[in-house]
Amino acid sequence: MRILVIEDEPLLGAAVQERVQHAGHTVDWFTTLEDARAALAAVQYECLVLDLGLPDGSGRTLLREIRQTSSPLSILITTAEDQISDRIAGLSDGADDYLAKPYDLDELIARIAAVGRRYRPLIDNRLVVGESEIDLERKRLTRNGEIIDLTAREWTLVELLARRPGAICSRQKIEEALYNLEEEVGSNTVEVFVSRVRKKLGADVIRTVRGRGYYLQQPQTA
């Protein structure tokens, strides 16, 4: 998933970014509402991890703004405001989950996965494509019954295409999924990752539509 983290505590923000990246997600981390709005305007995120007490206002304001739109963004609040009334207020404003500080980073990863599942397209979690099986729930790829090792970014590419098999995914969308805003993306980066994944899944699994992007061939449900 492409995840936006808004957290103004430097040590916590850095720890969250590192742990979420380690879990295989692409992460942008900012500390203010102003930066959050700019990031949301520039990138299509799937999940927002939102602190409420920010230097330039309450994260609850941003939460309300997002829920007044048709955005399917999943939102997880993290805050030191842990009274029952605070939780009820956050959930009433449209948050999908609420995690009180201090929290365990592994629990945060589990909560992100849980809220993310609510917004995924209704597809089977296991897809058979050619000689390969893609297990979206376990984040596992097998080919001819053998588990194939993928890097975090290779899996991100596979998952992105597998969520909508047969649908064309643009180069820009793939770049956004693979890299955060602070990283520089090379001109042939997408082609390199597609080539790597094709070697592991099979040459015909990912198809190219010249000038438009890539798609995963229609699978048989496992």
Side-chain angles (χ1 to χ4, degrees):
M1 284 192 288
R2 182 72 182 260
I3 298 174
L4 176 61
V5 175
I6 307 300
E7 170 58 62
D8 68 324
E9 296 180 32
L11 292 179
L12 178 58
V16 168
Q17 183 181 42
E18 181 179 1
R19 181 64 183 85
V20 175
Q21 286 177 333
H22 182 72
H25 304 291
T26 301
V27 187
D28 294 315
W29 166 40
F30 297 103
T31 60
T32 66
L33 289 176
E34 181 181 4
D35 287 339
R37 292 188 178 101
L40 288 167
V43 177
Q44 184 176 348
Y45 294 97
E46 295 167 277
C47 181
L48 169 62
V49 178
L50 178 64
D51 185 24
L52 294 186
L54 297 168
D56 55 346
S58 172
R60 194 167 284 136
T61 301
L62 180 61
L63 170 61
R64 296 191 190 108
E65 291 173 3
I66 294 171
R67 288 304 182 233
Q68 288 173 357
T69 71
S70 58
S71 170
L73 183 69
S74 58
I75 302 176
L76 170 61
I77 288 177
T78 63
T79 180
E81 301 174 10
D82 62 351
Q83 298 298 316
I84 294 297
S85 58
D86 296 321
R87 300 190 184 199
I88 292 174
L91 295 171
S92 297
D93 285 335
D96 295 285
D97 204 350
Y98 196 113
L99 192 57
K101 296 179 180 178
Y103 54 80
D104 183 83
L105 292 177
D106 287 336
E107 181 180 2
L108 173 66
I109 298 302
R111 297 286 188 100
I112 288 173
V115 298
R117 282 195 293 269
R118 299 174 195 171
Y119 290 87
R120 289 178 185 169
L122 296 177
I123 60 173
D124 291 316
N125 286 325
R126 295 170 63 226
L127 306 173
V128 174
V129 186
E131 300 171 341
S132 300
E133 179 180 292
I134 302 168
D135 190 330
L136 295 173
E137 187 67 28
R138 297 180 181 179
K139 292 190 174 184
R140 187 175 68 182
L141 170 67
T142 58
R143 187 175 183 185
N144 293 324
E146 295 185 6
I147 296 177
I148 304 300
D149 290 330
L150 296 176
T151 67
R153 282 177 172 151
E154 287 171 352
W155 174 257
T156 295
L157 173 60
V158 170
E159 184 178 24
L160 179 66
L161 298 179
R163 287 183 184 179
R164 297 184 62 201
I168 298 172
C169 188
S170 70
R171 178 195 184 97
Q172 179 181 354
K173 176 69 174 177
I174 294 173
E175 287 179 350
E176 288 181 358
L178 295 177
Y179 290 91
N180 63 43
L181 292 174
E182 297 175 352
E183 293 178 290
E184 197 170 316
V185 182
S187 59
N188 67 335
T189 296
V190 171
E191 287 79 3
V192 169
F193 276 101
V194 169
S195 177
R196 288 180 185 174
V197 172
R198 278 176 172 155
K199 290 179 181 178
K200 296 182 178 183
L201 270 74
D204 296 329
V205 171
I206 297 178
R207 307 288 179 84
T208 302
V209 180
R210 191 174 298 276
R212 297 184 61 190
Y214 302 89
Y215 70 92
L216 187 77
Q217 73 174 56
Q218 287 288 354
Q220 293 179 336
T221 304

